[in-house]
Amino acid sequence: MRLLMTIDELKAFLQSDFPQVSGEFTIEDLGEMRIRMRLNVSERHLRPGGTVSGPSIFALADVAVYLAVLAMIGPQGLAVTTSSSLDFMRKPVAGRDLIAECRLLKLGRVLAVGEVLVFSDGDDRPVARASMTYSIPPKT
Amino acid sequence: MRLLMTIDELKAFLQSDFPQVSGEFTIEDLGEMRIRMRLNVSERHLRPGGTVSGPSIFALADVAVYLAVLAMIGPQGLAVTTSSSLDFMRKPVAGRDLIAECRLLKLGRVLAVGEVLVFSDGDDRPVARASMTYSIPPKT
Amino acid sequence: MRLLMTIDELKAFLQSDFPQVSGEFTIEDLGEMRIRMRLNVSERHLRPGGTVSGPSIFALADVAVYLAVLAMIGPQGLAVTTSSSLDFMRKPVAGRDLIAECRLLKLGRVLAVGEVLVFSDGDDRPVARASMTYSIPPKT
Amino acid sequence: MRLLMTIDELKAFLQSDFPQVSGEFTIEDLGEMRIRMRLNVSERHLRPGGTVSGPSIFALADVAVYLAVLAMIGPQGLAVTTSSSLDFMRKPVAGRDLIAECRLLKLGRVLAVGEVLVFSDGDDRPVARASMTYSIPPKT
């Protein structure tokens, strides 16, 4: 299977369909069945002690799988998360962005499954892992 | 086991330790090993089409389990989520707050497990379910 | 929605389609969107120390959700588990059967979601919790 | 961190402590923080249609993480699974063993987290993915 969208097209899609959050994320790299994304950590993502909040890590993993799926099936706003599981393993390094390495393990007709490892930028010990299942709407 | 904190004490803790998010949530009811919380849905929680975002639902479930644990063990800011699993089952009803019904299934010395059902206010069909494991720091 | 199968019909289905495992499980109670099942614990389910193995608990939760779904949609051998999450919370009581209380939270056209609490027979503290997503094949 | 046990030592541990299941599994490869294991598929693991059962896949993932942890901390029978999440993505290839590729993402003082990809032997499309959290008993 081949990529149907470029980084620039994904970026434009994110800006038009998710204007509220598009500034928080940067697409760093894109390939067939995989994507690397950055959470541009700012005050809004932090918890006391300078750690990045769980919901922010969830959001990063979720958008990574979403865009990895879109890149393969084309811009369809209606794919929705149906199941997710996350393990939080280490406190993120203070003052660093988070990097999500996402790989699609399955891209079926109705379900897609992606796995994500989240790192503090520049550190190779995973902060969190996530797996996400997306339901893909039927072609119309 | 008995409650060690009241709704007012939990509210004060949330305001002092999590000022960024405390306004988003309301504690509706509290009992031994259970809590009911409301996400006061506003623009920041919404996705296109008026649906509440996945990260917002994660945040609601997470804070519910956290406060249910704190109410039983007393105010300890250091309990952290270690594992979580969520299933998203229905689109939330547009224009409604979300209600989380949380129950602690285990409150051990080092781990606590809570389960959460999330509903659109006034609707009895669950929007999402979540289970969360918290690691409880050793008493010092 | 109404039940399309009785306990006896589910039992017959289990015996004909899953003869290898049907003797391990007893359907204790059945209702709309819920089922109660028993794992008839024997030597094969045990681990050293007399505890019931994780795979046996998984099997109990899985069959409970499967039969709860079948009871609502009719005998369709092709429903398959797509996602599952389990938390193991307490050591089962030695020498007791396990009881699964299962409730369907969603029964959609393509996906069903069930949650399960597992208890040692006669004990009200949950041994484990599980959530399972089943994919339902299209009607043919 | 270095390996504290060899493949032969793990095998001997499995045979002495888990005699009921030790014949089902083969340790194929072992390294720091990782293990590859084989489920020697036989009649008992199969479901109608020749597919490997969900509980068998759970068992394979569970034992892989368990042995990967033991290899790093030494033979301690008391590590227990606390949380697990599995996604089932493809029907296993009929008549083939299953291979689990397991990696430990975290090996802390009280919790270890492993992720597992399961393949049909000789096929590179994952049948399932799993993540497992183990609780490690305090040293005595």
Side-chain angles (χ1 to χ4, degrees):
Chain A
M1 280 191 298
R2 294 218 320 271
L3 284 171
L4 296 185
M5 297 177 75
T6 64
I7 288 183
D8 282 345
E9 287 166 343
L10 285 178
K11 200 181 301 183
F13 178 87
L14 204 57
Q15 278 164 357
S16 71
D17 281 40
F18 298 89
Q20 288 173 305
V21 300
S22 65
E24 301 180 34
F25 303 108
T26 306
I27 304 169
E28 299 258 308
D29 192 27
L30 177 69
E32 288 176 21
M33 304 285 277
R34 63 176 182 75
I35 198 167
R36 184 189 311 132
M37 294 196 65
R38 173 183 298 267
L39 176 67
N40 307 306
V41 172
S42 64
E43 199 57 39
R44 73 200 301 184
H45 305 111
L46 298 181
R47 286 284 182 272
T51 194
V52 180
S53 76
S56 299
I57 293 175
F58 179 94
L60 172 61
D62 195 36
V63 76
V65 177
Y66 183 64
L67 294 183
V69 169
L70 285 203
M72 298 301 293
I73 68 173
Q76 305 189 19
L78 295 170
V80 293
T81 313
T82 57
S83 294
S84 67
S85 124
L86 286 95
D87 295 292
F88 299 94
M89 298 181 289
R90 286 176 188 81
K91 199 166 144 42
V93 178
R96 302 262 187 91
D97 284 348
L98 291 184
I99 305 293
E101 295 279 358
C102 168
R103 188 157 67 112
L104 296 186
L105 299 175
K106 171 180 175 157
L107 182 58
R109 202 174 37 79
V110 296
L111 293 179
V113 179
E115 62 169 15
V116 182
L117 284 178
V118 177
F119 300 89
S120 292
D121 194 12
D123 194 85
D124 64 357
R125 296 165 302 168
V127 161
R129 63 145 293 281
S131 36
M132 301 260 168
T133 300
Y134 266 79
S135 172
I136 301 171
K139 290 262 167 74
T140 50
Chain B
M1 281 190 297
R2 295 218 320 270
L3 284 170
L4 296 185
M5 295 178 75
T6 65
I7 289 183
D8 282 346
E9 287 166 343
L10 285 178
K11 200 181 299 183
F13 178 88
L14 205 57
Q15 279 164 356
S16 70
D17 281 39
F18 297 89
Q20 287 173 306
V21 300
S22 66
E24 300 179 35
F25 303 108
T26 306
I27 303 168
E28 299 257 308
D29 192 26
L30 176 70
E32 289 176 19
M33 303 285 276
R34 64 176 181 74
I35 199 167
R36 185 190 309 132
M37 294 196 64
R38 174 183 298 265
L39 175 67
N40 307 305
V41 172
S42 64
E43 199 57 40
R44 73 201 300 183
H45 306 111
L46 298 181
R47 287 283 183 273
T51 194
V52 180
S53 77
S56 299
I57 293 175
F58 179 95
L60 172 61
D62 194 35
V63 77
V65 177
Y66 183 65
L67 294 182
V69 169
L70 285 202
M72 298 300 293
I73 67 172
Q76 306 189 17
L78 295 170
V80 294
T81 313
T82 56
S83 294
S84 65
S85 125
L86 285 96
D87 295 293
F88 299 94
M89 297 182 289
R90 286 175 188 83
K91 199 165 144 39
V93 178
R96 302 263 187 93
D97 285 348
L98 290 185
I99 305 294
E101 295 278 359
C102 168
R103 188 157 67 112
L104 296 186
L105 299 175
K106 172 181 174 154
L107 182 57
R109 202 173 38 80
V110 296
L111 293 178
V113 178
E115 62 170 14
V116 182
L117 285 177
V118 176
F119 301 88
S120 291
D121 194 12
D123 195 84
D124 65 356
R125 296 165 303 167
V127 162
R129 64 146 293 283
S131 36
M132 300 261 168
T133 300
Y134 266 79
S135 171
I136 300 171
K139 290 263 166 72
T140 51
Chain C
M1 280 189 297
R2 293 220 318 272
L3 284 170
L4 296 185
M5 295 177 77
T6 64
I7 289 183
D8 283 346
E9 288 165 344
L10 285 178
K11 199 181 301 183
F13 179 86
L14 204 57
Q15 279 164 356
S16 71
D17 281 39
F18 297 89
Q20 288 173 305
V21 300
S22 66
E24 301 180 33
F25 303 108
T26 306
I27 304 169
E28 300 258 308
D29 193 27
L30 176 69
E32 288 174 20
M33 303 286 276
R34 64 176 181 76
I35 198 167
R36 184 191 311 131
M37 294 196 65
R38 173 184 298 266
L39 175 67
N40 306 305
V41 172
S42 64
E43 199 58 39
R44 72 198 303 182
H45 306 111
L46 298 182
R47 285 284 183 272
T51 194
V52 180
S53 77
S56 300
I57 294 175
F58 179 94
L60 172 61
D62 194 35
V63 76
V65 177
Y66 183 64
L67 294 183
V69 170
L70 285 203
M72 298 301 293
I73 68 173
Q76 305 189 18
L78 295 170
V80 292
T81 314
T82 55
S83 295
S84 66
S85 125
L86 286 94
D87 296 292
F88 299 94
M89 298 181 289
R90 285 176 189 82
K91 199 164 142 43
V93 177
R96 301 260 187 94
D97 285 347
L98 291 185
I99 305 294
E101 296 279 358
C102 167
R103 190 157 66 113
L104 296 186
L105 298 175
K106 171 180 174 156
L107 183 57
R109 204 173 37 79
V110 296
L111 292 179
V113 179
E115 64 169 12
V116 183
L117 284 177
V118 176
F119 301 89
S120 292
D121 193 12
D123 195 85
D124 65 356
R125 297 165 302 168
V127 161
R129 65 146 292 282
S131 36
M132 301 262 169
T133 300
Y134 266 79
S135 171
I136 300 171
K139 289 264 169 73
T140 52
Chain D
M1 281 190 296
R2 295 219 318 271
L3 283 171
L4 297 185
M5 296 178 75
T6 64
I7 288 184
D8 282 346
E9 287 167 343
L10 285 178
K11 200 181 299 183
F13 178 87
L14 204 57
Q15 278 165 356
S16 71
D17 281 39
F18 297 89
Q20 288 174 307
V21 300
S22 65
E24 301 180 34
F25 303 108
T26 306
I27 303 169
E28 300 257 308
D29 193 26
L30 176 69
E32 288 174 21
M33 304 286 276
R34 64 177 181 75
I35 198 167
R36 184 191 310 131
M37 293 196 65
R38 173 184 298 265
L39 176 66
N40 306 305
V41 172
S42 64
E43 198 57 39
R44 74 199 302 183
H45 305 111
L46 298 181
R47 286 284 184 271
T51 193
V52 180
S53 76
S56 298
I57 293 174
F58 179 95
L60 172 61
D62 194 36
V63 77
V65 178
Y66 183 63
L67 293 183
V69 170
L70 285 203
M72 298 301 293
I73 67 172
Q76 305 189 18
L78 295 170
V80 293
T81 314
T82 56
S83 293
S84 65
S85 124
L86 286 95
D87 295 292
F88 299 94
M89 297 181 290
R90 285 176 188 84
K91 199 165 144 38
V93 178
R96 301 261 187 94
D97 285 347
L98 291 184
I99 305 293
E101 296 279 358
C102 167
R103 189 158 66 113
L104 296 187
L105 299 174
K106 171 182 175 155
L107 182 57
R109 203 174 36 82
V110 296
L111 293 178
V113 179
E115 64 170 12
V116 183
L117 285 177
V118 177
F119 302 88
S120 292
D121 193 12
D123 195 86
D124 65 355
R125 297 164 302 168
V127 162
R129 63 146 293 282
S131 36
M132 301 261 169
T133 301
Y134 266 79
S135 171
I136 299 171
K139 289 264 167 73
T140 52

